[in-house]
Amino acid sequence: MCSDSNRTNRPEYDQVIQDIADYVLYYKVDSDEAWRTACHCLMDSLGCACLALSFPECTKLLGPTVEGTLVPSGARVPGTQFCLDPVKSAWDIGATIRWLDYNDTWLAAEWGHPSDNLGAILAVCDYLSQKKLTFAEPPLKMRTVLEAMIKAYEIQGVLALANSFNRVGLDHVLLVRVASTAVVAWLKGGSREEVMAAISLAWVDGSALRTYRHAPNTGSRKSWAAGDATSRGVRLADIALRGEMGVPGALTAKQWGFYDVSFSKTSADQKIKAPENREFHFPRDYGSYVIENILFKISFPAEFHGQTACEASIILHPQIAGRIAEIDKVVVTTHESAIRIIAKTGPLANAADRDHCLQYIVAVGLLFGRLSAGFYEDDFHRDHPEIDELRKKMVVVEDKRYSKEYLEPEKRSIANAVQVFFKGGGKTDQVAVEYPLGHRRRRTEGIPLLGEKFRSNLLSRFPPHRVKKIVGIFEEQEKLEGMPVNRFMDLLVI
């Protein structure tokens, strides 16, 4: 029998778990920029979700698990007729927002899309509002949705600042599950103990592997993985608020905790674990930094590390139009993260593979002077063999300054440069774009275009008179914040 009582005494919750719980329970958002940007993030995410509903590969996955199920006081899925239990509704909302890789983005040591958490937030807020109405209680207001967004963005983004889950093979949707679990437990009125229990369960779940994001296994799971994660957050919060115990040492438990099992650095050569655990590092406290610095995909539905490369290639399009056969090579200068994630050679198996290929994005921009979601589909790719021919002529190189400034807190650039060289010695200018249109440094330029993107995406699903009404709500921040969630969601269903 073990005589070491320290091995059997139940510990306090890990400090990381306590800090997340205290932030989500007690932090007061006092940044006007955070509230304003949250409105823009909500607007953009809903537009992305509506546009995704034009793609059968997405819509085939939506709806009740048991066909014909009716859920009183259920949660609606924007752009559809579905009214589902909050767990499946969160799955559907999260999947539609993420499907086209067109929603907002966060880039740091880890990458991700904080708007993925809206699956849980909208589903739970709509459900809670519908439930309150059945008891003649006032529903939640949209300001609560925005507050939950700010907090979920912050949890996911701060965890990502200095902790690279991808380097140990884990997918960033883990952070969606953790953030969604925390804010849902708060939204549902959880105590500190219940919120910590819920968060601990999210960590104990482990993480999906990144296999489906990388060639040769890239596939459409990357389009619904975040929906699955945000949905799991709703389920885990519900379990915890029913009184299920948490796992206090979920991260730090020796041998069995997340740090030892999933976050220890493994040597690629020796295949052994390093002797010391790798624990999370936090360069800043939780606040509203993440949403204030969020990156919008305004111009192109493409993996964010390739956004500026696409912009540069489109700028170059007029210089190479009519001269495709004369091209000798295309040099793409980029940063280390882009090389690691989306620089690909060889065959691309499907649309999910193509929208995460730097060379494909650049080739389309050069050849056509534009890029839309349909350009990744099999039919388009099959009809334009010149795309792959141009990809074969590409050379991708790293600029150390680009890599360094990508991680600098005051810059967070996502720089790319493109230059085309012709047979016989001619060449185009090198076009460099260091900050994409959706960057904080280009907000003044970008926000009006973000509104145009939203309106266009809504028109893919709703008639003009409905679009006008929805857009009008976002034109007055106070009007949006004060609107009951159920009335807001009424406008978004078919």
Side-chain angles (χ1 to χ4, degrees), residues 249-319:
L251 294 168
T252 60
K254 297 300 181 185
Q255 186 176 354
W256 312 117
F258 184 87
Y259 288 152
D260 270 12
V261 174
S262 297
F263 207 61
S264 292
K265 182 66 174 176
T266 301
S267 166
D269 298 321
Q270 298 177 343
K271 301 295 182 184
I272 59 172
K273 287 186 176 180
E276 297 294 331
N277 282 352
R278 293 185 66 218
E279 298 187 355
F280 299 154
H281 298 283
F282 296 90
R284 65 184 306 122
D285 294 333
Y286 297 110
S288 57
Y289 172 80
V290 174
I291 204 161
E292 290 167 2
N293 288 277
I294 202 67
L295 300 163
F296 291 107
K297 289 185 180 180
I298 295 176
S299 301
F300 319 112
E303 207 281 340
F304 214 100
H305 294 88
Q307 290 280 310
T308 53
C310 188
E311 186 173 347
S313 66
I314 288 173
I315 292 171
L316 281 174
H317 168 72
Q319 296 186 44

Side-chain angles (χ1 to χ4, degrees), residues 25-56:
L25 285 167
Y26 307 125
Y27 184 80
K28 302 300 181 185
V29 180
D30 58 4
S31 164
D32 290 339
E33 184 177 6
W35 288 108
R36 184 170 58 253
T37 307
C39 294
H40 293 142
C41 290
L42 175 62
M43 176 183 77
D44 184 53
S45 300
L46 290 171
C48 292
C50 288
L51 185 62
L53 294 171
S54 302
F55 291 78

Side-chain angles (χ1 to χ4, degrees), residues 19 23 53 61 75 115 117 122 127-128 139 151 188 206 229 285 323 327 372 380 430 474 490:
D19 290 346
Y23 167 71
L53 294 171
L61 302 174
S115 49
N117 294 286
L122 279 177
Y127 161 71
L128 291 175
K151 292 181 175 181
K188 297 186 75 174
D285 294 333
R323 302 186 65 186
I327 294 176
S372 66
F380 185 87
Q430 184 192 57
F474 284 92
D490 286 344

